Amino acid sequence: MSRSRVVVAALAVALVLASCSSDDGGSTAASTTRSGGSGVTSATTGTTEQVDRPDGPAVKVVRELPEGTPFLGAARATKDLKAAGYVEHELEVSGTATSYEPEGDLPEDGDWKLKETGEKGEFRTRIIVRRPAKAADSNGTVLVEWLNVSGGLDANPDYSYTEDEILRGGYTWIGVSAQSIGIEGGPVAVPVAKDNPMVSAVIGKGLKKIDPSRYGDLSHPGDQFSYDMFTQVARALRNDDGKILDGVPVERIIAMGESQSAFALTTYANGIQPLTEAFDGFLIHSRGGPGLPLSGRDKPDIDIASAITGSAVKIRTDLRA
């Protein structure tokens, strides 16, 4: 699929992504900030606390996908990465993920307590890596975007919004196909441009059907495993053996997501980050009020449209991220 087709199809989707969010249910900031990758510096006392990151599984790199343009929804064409001193790789990664369930209620202050269900799901997903070609040009910050599937395909709104700063600042960006719709296809929460054949040909189809020769080996076990899949990508980055970042240093890892993906990161920050300590910070952008449910219950994909109207929840204030 040509780059122009991807951008045209995704542009219509990106224009309506903001309709998934609102100004209600604003978040509250945590009272600590990160200091490098080894600890947390309190904003009030100035003291540094070492972060104890629990051990856990990380994704394994299966292979690098062939040269060519990755399928990805974007609000605009990606800039010339080579001219900016950047390289792009698309990797197939695999693992076995767990799912989570609440211990008791999920209060609106965000102080959630979750536990693993014991259910396991094997997965093969893809990640897109955009990094400085020279490790010395990196600023040590890795941005991990939960790709947005509101429009029925993987889209990267936060990369589009921040591309200029990413490229001039030496950031590394990772796009993660975390949800089932992006890979397997499924319902479209925000229908757009039904009369545009380039759009209708791809929305809701999933990567495996959009480009079987490139993505046919991918497999998603269901959205209840998305949160742990996201964690496992972060762990692999922090302990990279060169297969993902080729020596680019990792001093801090920031999770980022817009609109529907921000719903997911609200849930992640409130319930899963305290268990994993996988991220050093969060950019939770234009999220509206609720968090994303922990599963789709009897369906592989979480009902995004219903989640939008869920109860508002704050972001807990005791995070060390």
Side-chain angles (χ1 to χ4, degrees), residues 46-187:
T47 58
T48 300
E49 176 187 2
Q50 293 301 115
V51 176
D52 180 17
R53 304 187 194 279
D55 292 331
V59 298
K60 293 180 172 59
V61 176
V62 177
R63 63 180 178 129
E64 181 168 356
L65 295 175
E67 285 190 26
T69 304
F71 182 89
L72 186 62
R76 62 183 182 184
T78 301
K79 290 191 173 182
D80 187 337
L81 295 176
K82 185 176 181 180
Y86 270 67
V87 295
E88 178 181 77
H89 299 279
E90 186 178 27
L91 305 176
E92 182 179 315
V93 298
S94 69
T96 302
T98 191
S99 59
Y100 295 91
E101 62 185 0
E103 290 190 88
D105 296 330
L106 299 178
E108 65 177 21
D109 65 1
D111 185 9
W112 294 0
K113 292 179 174 58
L114 304 183
K115 63 180 180 180
E116 295 184 11
T117 64
E119 183 184 14
K120 301 293 182 181
E122 295 184 2
F123 65 89
R124 282 198 181 201
T125 190
R126 64 84 182 255
I127 62 173
I128 299 173
V129 181
R130 294 173 181 165
R131 60 169 176 80
K134 297 178 181 179
D137 292 336
S138 168
N139 67 4
T141 298
V142 181
L143 307 172
V144 184
E145 182 167 359
W146 184 304
L147 296 178
N148 187 303
V149 296
S150 293
L153 50 77
D154 275 344
N156 64 341
D158 268 330
Y159 178 85
S160 294
Y161 289 130
T162 59
E163 182 179 50
D164 288 345
E165 176 63 16
I166 287 173
L167 298 183
R168 70 187 171 212
Y171 295 84
T172 294
W173 176 85
I174 311 291
V176 181
S177 292
Q179 286 179 255
S180 176
I181 291 173
I183 294 173
E184 307 288 351

